[in-house]
Amino acid sequence: MTESNESLIHVADLHKVFVTEEVETHALAGVHLSIAQGEYVSIAGPSGCGKSTLMAILGLLDSPTQGDYRLAGEPVADLSASQRARIRNREVGFIFQSFNLIGDLTVFENVELPLTYRGMSSAERKKRALDALERVGMSHRTKHYPAQLSGGQQQRVAVARAVVGSPSIVLADEPTGNLDSVNSEAVMALLGELHREGATICMVTHDPRYARHAQRTVHLFDGRIVEEEEAARKQQESAELKQSGFDVA
């Protein structure tokens, strides 16, 4: 694990408890995690293990019940709602399973939207939005609406929206969950390209095929990290199995 003073993201002893009248659910139970600048990390585990809860906290969409979270070395626990919103807008790019595009905005308007909160000129917003759409191969669809696009195209637009503001980190929560295998591979290729260009990526997935795209995989189970895998070790194990005559998928 990367030391906290070198990390873009560092959480220590993170707990999240959801309380209702009848039950107390411990979604996270003492998570320790660091993500370095420029790293590509996948968070894997079965449904209900706390993956999306952890992602929401990392993206400042939710707060932990207990524990320390530092983003770029700065504590976030005492930030106001407006400060959190500002950091989300400038530092965090989100990619969701359900795309979360706004139906009555065009493709261009969806991608431009995060920039409108920055006091940026119209000309600069237009340039950045068009550049982001070109980057994901969707510049020919700027005037279309989300309902006129396939699922794979909508996710490409969502990726463009996530990176248009040059965020410090891209958080992808099951980005292939609503896609077929062809479009899933295309989105994973996009994420890989972003990472090679220097982006820091943290991706939640339950699919081991896509978890392998990351440099490091963190396994969650019952709200705790139970294992970490480095990509180099996974590749070495795969090579050894192939040399032994095993067919590795």
Side-chain angles (χ1 to χ4, degrees), residues 5-226:
N5 60 1
E6 300 175 354
S7 301
L8 177 61
I9 280 179
H10 180 73
V11 299
D13 195 30
L14 211 65
H15 293 254
K16 181 63 179 181
V17 181
F18 294 101
V19 179
T20 66
E21 293 182 358
E22 298 180 356
V23 67
E24 186 176 278
T25 302
H26 291 256
L28 297 175
V31 170
H32 297 263
L33 176 67
S34 289
I35 299 175
Q37 179 75 45
E39 195 174 12
Y40 188 169
V41 175
S42 66
I43 299 175
S47 296
C49 72
K51 301 188 302 295
S52 291
T53 299
L54 177 57
M55 189 69 82
I57 291 173
L58 296 182
L60 302 180
L61 295 171
D62 199 358
S63 299
T65 305
Q66 174 187 325
D68 182 47
Y69 174 23
R70 294 175 183 267
L71 179 60
E74 298 297 326
V76 301
D78 296 328
L79 294 176
S80 67
S82 61
Q83 288 172 320
R84 285 171 168 265
R86 183 177 183 278
I87 291 174
R88 283 198 302 270
N89 178 259
R90 294 178 177 272
E91 305 297 338
V92 184
F94 293 97
I95 305 171
F96 300 97
Q97 176 178 343
S98 56
F99 319 137
N100 284 15
L101 300 177
I102 299 174
D104 57 358
L105 296 183
T106 65
V107 163
F108 174 83
E109 290 167 341
N110 267 280
V111 175
E112 180 195 33
L113 185 61
L115 303 179
T116 63
Y117 301 107
R118 296 195 184 185
M120 191 178 291
S121 71
S122 175
E124 179 65 14
R125 294 199 309 267
K126 181 177 181 179
K127 180 182 184 303
R128 289 200 181 201
L130 291 177
D131 285 349
L133 286 166
E134 178 70 30
R135 195 174 186 182
V136 301
M138 289 296 292
S139 58
H140 62 301
R141 296 280 188 158
T142 56
K143 296 182 180 179
H144 287 71
Y145 290 88
Q148 297 173 302
L149 306 178
S150 68
Q153 289 172 328
Q154 288 188 61
Q155 194 61 298
R156 284 175 174 270
V157 174
V159 172
R161 181 187 57 190
V163 301
V164 70
S166 301
S168 297
I169 186 165
V170 174
L171 299 178
D173 193 354
E174 298 283 7
T176 62
N178 286 337
L179 303 178
D180 59 30
S181 59
V182 172
N183 282 305
S184 293
E185 289 295 340
V187 168
M188 293 307 304
L190 272 175
L191 292 177
E193 182 180 338
L194 291 172
H195 176 246
R196 287 190 294 274
E197 293 173 357
T200 306
I201 298 174
C202 180
M203 174 185 66
V204 157
T205 182
H206 68 275
D207 193 325
R209 295 175 299 171
Y210 303 132
R212 294 191 188 103
H213 285 254
Q215 295 171 302
R216 177 163 59 106
T217 299
V218 176
H219 294 270
L220 274 183
F221 187 76
D222 286 347
R224 299 178 184 274
I225 292 177
V226 295

